[in-house]
Amino acid sequence: MHVGFVLNPIAGMGGRVGLKGTDEKVAEARARGAEPRAPDRAERALAELQERLPDMAVSTWGAPMGEREVRAAGYEPTVRGAPEGEETGPADTRAAVDAFVDAGVDLVLFVGGDGTAADIAEAVEGSETPMLGVPAGVKVYSSVFAVSPEDAAQVVRTFERTERREVMDIDEDEYREGEVHPELRAVPLVPVAEELQSSKQLGGGNVEALAAGVADDIRASEKTFVLGPGSTVGAIKEELGFDGSPLGVDVWRDGEVLALDATESEILDALGPAGENVVVVSPIGGQGFVFGRGNPQLSPAVIRRCDLEIVASRSKLDTVGELRVDTDDPDLDAELSGWTKVRIGRVERRMMRIA
């Protein structure tokens, strides 16, 4: 097995600081105190690969686009080149993948988000080289990604055939304004495996009764409620009588909006004492992610201080076999896994398993 490994070092940086993406926003993300997310995700995938495939041949690109993480995992890679400037960009990603394809790698393994996936799909077009993503972006709509870094390593180790899957991307400026218009960018070859996520589906069915029931309970409570993004939770915000951020996280307590489109730090500042906070989220249709896709502001630090309320329409749950979490904290992911109740109506609930 010969893998070409490339890392987008800025992928996902804008998430926890409320930017909903990092395209053209790197400086602002850093000014808000954003920390790189992708290197840690890379290290998790590579550590698992080193344990399972210690003799795997690795081609990579110079730091900060992979070399450092590959060597830290214990591999001695062939470094095919390096980024041209201090700030990396799509041209660097495409150059790396061009070099990998020329070197005859069996697979391009990358760490990034949908924009990175589109760049790599462009570079592998016309070849028979498959690609596989370790998810590190904010949105991650595309179906070329494994569910988690560890799952990506499992796919690399076990896949035997490939199929064509969708790379989707959206305009991040529109996304920040609450508009979501996914665009099909490419259909590259990807390993066939159960550990891959599906494309995100939009829309979730009728949620009027659900929203009314949850809003009534929130009004009757003295707890602090952290209300996640999406149309289902958005209907709850409307029932509460305020214009919430459709793709952001809002904080509510005792009839008052404490934070609108909040960053991770703003959420933490608004929370009440332990046991007095509830995070309300809805899984992504088709994918089933509760945490880890589109809501990185809900960080492990936030989640650990909150009780969890999952809400969804019946039709949305019908599109997913099980729920998923990918919080950047494997221990927390394990704690959240298992059977849980999902509220599907004014009072009705359905048991669902978090994988």
Side-chain angles (χ1 to χ4, degrees):
M1 172 69 73
H2 182 188
V3 168
F5 180 84
V6 64
L7 160 71
N8 178 355
I10 64 170
M13 280 184 64
R16 289 189 182 172
V17 294
L19 290 177
K20 306 175 185 67
T22 318
D23 292 354
E24 311 299 329
K25 296 288 183 178
V26 178
E28 184 175 351
R30 287 177 175 150
R32 294 189 183 190
E35 296 290 336
R37 181 189 189 209
D40 177 68
R41 308 282 284 182
E43 290 169 6
R44 285 170 53 187
L46 289 165
E48 188 75 11
L49 277 170
Q50 171 60 228
E51 182 176 342
R52 305 292 184 179
L53 292 174
D55 297 325
M56 182 179 74
V58 182
S59 289
T60 191
W61 211 241
M65 295 184 65
E67 179 183 3
R68 184 184 302 118
E69 290 74 17
V70 171
R71 292 192 187 280
Y75 289 108
E76 290 296 332
T78 300
V79 181
R80 303 284 175 181
E84 293 187 356
E86 292 185 5
E87 292 291 347
T88 64
D92 296 302
T93 301
R94 291 191 290 267
V97 177
D98 286 342
F100 298 160
V101 172
D102 289 343
V105 301
D106 299 304
L107 173 73
V108 174
L109 179 65
F110 72 95
V111 184
D114 289 319
T116 312
D119 294 332
I120 289 173
E122 178 182 334
V124 299
E125 185 177 4
S127 75
E128 293 298 311
T129 306
M131 59 185 281
L132 172 66
V134 175
V138 175
K139 308 174 296 296
V140 195
Y141 279 66
S142 306
S143 59
V144 300
F145 290 93
V147 170
S148 71
E150 290 77 14
D151 284 325
Q154 173 71 2
V155 174
V156 174
R157 187 174 70 88
T158 60
F159 85 94
E160 296 179 346
R161 59 191 180 92
T162 61
E163 65 182 2
R164 295 201 175 272
R165 295 174 70 94
E166 297 176 342
V167 171
M168 309 291 293
D169 200 9
I170 63 175
D171 184 293
E172 287 191 359
D173 289 331
E174 291 182 354
Y175 183 66
R176 294 182 182 101
E177 297 298 321
E179 297 291 331
V180 182
H181 303 292
E183 177 186 355
L184 179 64
R185 296 288 300 276
V187 189
L189 289 170
V190 179
V192 175
E194 293 182 355
E195 293 85 357
L196 268 63
Q197 69 177 41
S198 59
S199 295
K200 180 175 178 180
Q201 296 179 4
L202 302 179
N206 190 301
V207 296
E208 292 180 2
L210 166 64
V214 176
D216 286 345
D217 290 349
I218 290 175
R219 292 190 193 96
S221 174
E222 296 181 354
K223 295 184 176 181
T224 301
F225 287 84
V226 180
L227 304 171
S231 59
T232 303
V233 182
I236 298 170
K237 298 174 185 179
E238 290 180 8
E239 284 287 335
L240 290 171
F242 75 97
D243 293 328
S245 48
L247 298 173
V249 176
D250 307 319
V251 185
W252 164 285
R253 182 171 64 237
D254 195 25
E256 182 182 358
V257 180
L258 303 182
L260 196 66
D261 199 9
T263 66
E264 176 198 22
S265 61
E266 289 169 341
I267 297 169
L268 290 170
D269 289 342
L271 292 179
E276 296 297 320
N277 309 293
V278 181
V279 60
V280 182
V281 290
S282 187
I284 292 175
Q287 293 182 357
F289 278 96
V290 176
F291 297 119
R293 300 293 186 272
N295 56 9
Q297 308 95 315
L298 301 178
S299 67
V302 171
I303 297 167
R304 289 188 183 279
R305 290 180 57 183
C306 298
D307 296 327
L308 175 60
E309 174 88 58
I310 304 175
V311 299
S313 67
R314 292 173 175 84
S315 60
K316 179 182 283 189
L317 288 189
D318 288 341
T319 71
V320 298
E322 57 190 5
L323 305 180
R324 299 183 182 276
V325 292
D326 183 19
T327 66
D328 277 343
D329 184 335
D331 291 336
L332 179 57
D333 291 347
E335 292 172 23
L336 292 169
S337 66
W339 291 94
T340 190
K341 292 180 180 179
V342 178
R343 189 162 179 172
I344 59 174
R346 182 175 286 273
V347 296
E348 300 90 346
R349 287 172 168 79
R350 182 186 295 182
M351 294 298 295
M352 292 287 291
R353 180 177 175 270
I354 299 179

